[in-house]
């Protein structure tokens, strides 16, 4: 049995592009009768084109927001997996920055913001790039916790996370990526 | 430090964080609208120099509502290039990780123009507010990773249009 791999930000990007194409193909699918969902079929069949344009735009906006939340989840998952790997008692000492990263481990849940802040404290070379990542997660929290509404742009966020990952991997040779 | 002191310190740090990160939203909106004006001017000048007649370039006023900027109007453009039309629609200024978004729509598809910080990674201690920073326009075709590019010249504009116009 093949174990499922953890989604990383590159897979989040592929999923975003593929499903966006899927949404655009929905109109054709309705016309050709190949849509499986009866509620969507009922909603869209015989819909005037102007109404379809609005519907499509609304769906794309929803898609964008959920895709961004998934992107952040993939990024956070990777950082947390690295953190768990790095603090393992038996072999942790062989990892870079083991003791500096470990110091915040108290056995209870640590927020992603705290993990990133700890990394910034552990390696001065990462302060700018991880400072950027910290800012992104704080803005994500504003969206996810309903502090205030923000718009999103998936590709721009992915690009930033990818640049930060490059810097992080270039600085910490055993960083497990996200 | 006892538990009460730790608790108080944590809450005070949070309050300081909120105060330090508070934004002058009026100035932010001013900067966004001014940056949009610069974009529209770049587009208008580039299209006219490329042979598009002024009457083929229309200004459209869009009503935008953002929680921190309230309701405001922003100008976008509708440009006729041959038999095809391209729209530059301002969407919002408050976007995660950026300073603004304009959607560019044509018969072949849609791409995003993002107003981003001109500096890739800033020093975390740099407290320059967003409206006093230098911004740049990035084009995101959104077809594959790493396909973004700067919009700063007629060539950038031509590259962008290839994604939204049907080939002739």
């Amino acid at each position: 049995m093949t174990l499922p791999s953890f989604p990383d930000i590159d897979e989040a990007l592929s999923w975003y592009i593929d499903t966006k194409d899927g949404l655009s193909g929905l109109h054709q699918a309705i016309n050709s009768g190949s849509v499986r969902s009866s509620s969507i079929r009922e909603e869209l069949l015989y819909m005037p084109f102007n109404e379809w344009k609005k519907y499509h735009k609304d769906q794309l906006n929803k898609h964008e927001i959920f895709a961004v939340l998934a992107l952040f989840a993939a990024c956070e998952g990777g950082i947390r997996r690295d953190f768990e790997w790095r603090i393992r008692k038996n072999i942790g000492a062989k990892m870079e920055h083991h003791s500096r990263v470990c110091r915040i481990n108290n056995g209870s849940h640590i927020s992603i913001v705290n993990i990133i802040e700890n990394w910034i404290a552990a390696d001065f070379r990462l302060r700018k790039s991880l400072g950027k990542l910290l800012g992104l997660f704080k803005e994500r929290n504003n969206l996810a916790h309903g502090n205030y509404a923000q718009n999103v742009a998936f590709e721009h966020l992915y690009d930033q996370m990818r640049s930060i990952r490059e810097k992080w991997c270039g600085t910490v040779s055993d960083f497990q990526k996200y | 430090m006892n538990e009460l002191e730790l608790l108080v310190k944590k809450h005070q740090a949070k309050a300081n964080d909120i105060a330090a990160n508070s934004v002058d939203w009026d100035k932010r909106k001013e900067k966004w609208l001014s940056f949009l004006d610069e974009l529209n001017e770049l587009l208008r000048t580039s299209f006219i120099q490329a042979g598009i007649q002024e009457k083929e370039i229309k200004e459209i006023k869009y009503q935008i509502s953002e929680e921190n900027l309230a309701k405001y109007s922003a100008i976008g453009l509708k440009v006729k290039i041959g038999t095809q039309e391209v729209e530059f629609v301002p969407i919002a200024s408050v976007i995660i990780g950026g300073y603004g978004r304009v959607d560019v729509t044509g018969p072949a598809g849609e791409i995003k123009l993002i107003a981003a910080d001109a500096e890739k990674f800033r020093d975390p201690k740099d407290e320059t507010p967003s409206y006093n920073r230098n911004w740049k326009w990035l084009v995101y075709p959104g077809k594959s990773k790493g396909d973004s590019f700067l919009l700063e010249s007629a060539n950038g504009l031509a590259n962008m249009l290839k994604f939204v116009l049907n080939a002739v």
Side-chain angles (χ1 to χ4, degrees):
Chain A
M1 185 182 85
T2 310
L3 290 172
S5 61
F6 294 102
D8 60 16
I9 60 168
D10 300 316
E11 284 170 66
L13 173 73
S14 299
W15 171 84
Y16 169 76
I17 293 172
D18 292 346
T19 49
K20 201 170 170 184
D21 281 344
L23 265 177
S24 299
L26 190 55
H27 197 242
Q28 273 175 310
I30 284 285
N31 289 339
S32 69
S34 54
V35 168
R36 291 165 66 178
S37 161
S38 56
S39 59
I40 291 180
R41 214 171 32 244
E42 210 176 291
E43 190 176 2
L44 299 185
L45 200 54
Y46 309 127
M47 184 182 266
F49 189 65
N50 279 343
E51 260 187 61
W52 157 255
K53 273 173 73 172
K54 184 180 181 311
Y55 173 86
H56 186 223
K57 188 76 186 167
D58 290 343
Q59 292 303 311
L60 284 176
N61 287 339
K62 256 192 250 179
H63 172 259
E64 192 92 12
I65 289 171
F66 284 107
V68 159
L69 292 174
L71 181 69
F72 273 107
C75 181
E76 179 170 348
I79 295 170
R80 285 192 181 280
R81 279 192 302 280
D82 174 272
F83 180 71
E84 293 302 321
W85 173 79
R86 204 168 293 275
I87 61 170
R88 272 184 218 156
K89 282 183 187 163
N90 295 333
I91 54 172
K94 292 182 188 164
M95 289 109 170
E96 288 188 57
H97 299 311
H98 165 73
S99 56
R100 289 177 181 181
V101 169
C102 270
R103 66 186 164 197
I104 62 167
N105 179 35
N106 57 14
S108 59
H109 175 78
I110 301 167
S111 74
I112 187 66
V113 164
N114 281 349
I115 294 176
I116 297 172
E117 281 173 340
N118 197 53
W119 266 107
I120 292 172
D123 197 324
F124 186 70
R125 297 170 294 175
L126 293 171
R127 78 189 186 291
K128 284 188 181 182
S129 51
L130 293 198
K132 178 79 187 173
L133 189 64
L134 192 65
L136 292 180
F137 270 98
K138 285 181 177 175
E139 287 182 76
R140 186 280 308 258
N141 287 347
N142 282 328
L143 176 68
H145 301 160
N147 293 341
Y148 61 81
Q150 296 182 84
N151 259 282
V152 296
F154 181 96
E155 302 92 328
H156 181 55
L157 279 167
Y158 167 80
D159 229 21
Q160 290 176 86
M161 287 181 183
R162 189 173 58 94
S163 296
I164 292 165
R165 181 179 64 187
E166 265 170 34
K167 175 73 183 173
W168 205 337
C169 291
T171 306
V172 180
S173 60
D174 61 3
F175 178 61
Q176 296 292 289
K177 300 185 189 176
Y178 52 73
Chain B
M1 210 179 281
N2 63 37
E3 271 198 44
L4 178 61
E5 284 167 341
L6 274 170
L7 180 78
V8 168
K9 261 209 152 18
K10 206 170 155 183
H11 281 271
Q12 284 174 338
K14 174 86 183 180
N16 289 339
D17 199 37
I18 289 170
N21 289 322
S22 66
V23 179
D24 185 332
W25 292 110
D26 285 337
K27 285 189 177 160
R28 169 66 182 265
K29 183 166 69 182
E30 209 179 294
K31 168 83 181 194
W32 161 237
L33 291 175
S34 156
F35 202 56
L36 261 183
D37 281 346
E38 284 175 30
L39 171 69
N40 287 334
E41 194 45 43
L42 168 72
L43 294 172
R44 195 182 283 109
T45 309
S46 302
F47 281 127
I48 289 171
Q49 280 178 358
I52 304 280
Q53 292 190 18
E54 271 198 66
K55 64 177 182 178
E56 308 287 9
I57 304 171
K58 291 192 173 77
E59 276 191 4
I60 313 278
K61 198 183 263 191
Y62 292 93
Q63 294 302 318
I64 299 176
S65 184
E66 295 191 71
E67 192 169 326
N68 288 305
L69 307 188
K71 284 185 187 167
Y72 63 97
S73 56
I75 303 290
L77 296 183
K78 201 183 261 196
V79 184
K80 193 148 186 227
I81 304 172
T83 57
Q84 301 181 52
E85 218 166 48
V86 179
E87 280 187 76
F88 296 81
V89 182
I91 300 297
S93 177
V94 183
I95 67 165
I96 298 180
Y99 299 139
R101 175 178 149 185
V102 172
D103 286 357
V104 186
T105 313
E110 188 177 278
I111 57 107
K112 292 188 187 81
L113 269 181
I114 301 296
D117 199 312
E119 203 171 320
K120 197 170 169 181
F121 298 134
R122 292 189 161 266
D123 194 307
K125 291 191 177 127
D126 181 353
E127 291 180 356
T128 313
S130 57
Y131 45 83
N132 284 339
R133 295 176 181 175
N134 288 327
W135 296 5
K136 63 184 175 188
W137 285 109
L138 288 169
V139 183
Y140 282 94
K143 305 293 179 204
S144 59
K145 71 176 164 186
D147 65 355
S148 65
F149 53 92
L150 269 175
L151 175 76
E152 54 183 1
S153 64
N155 284 342
L157 181 52
N159 283 339
M160 182 179 71
L161 290 173
K162 285 173 190 166
F163 289 99
V164 299
L165 291 176
N166 287 322
V168 290

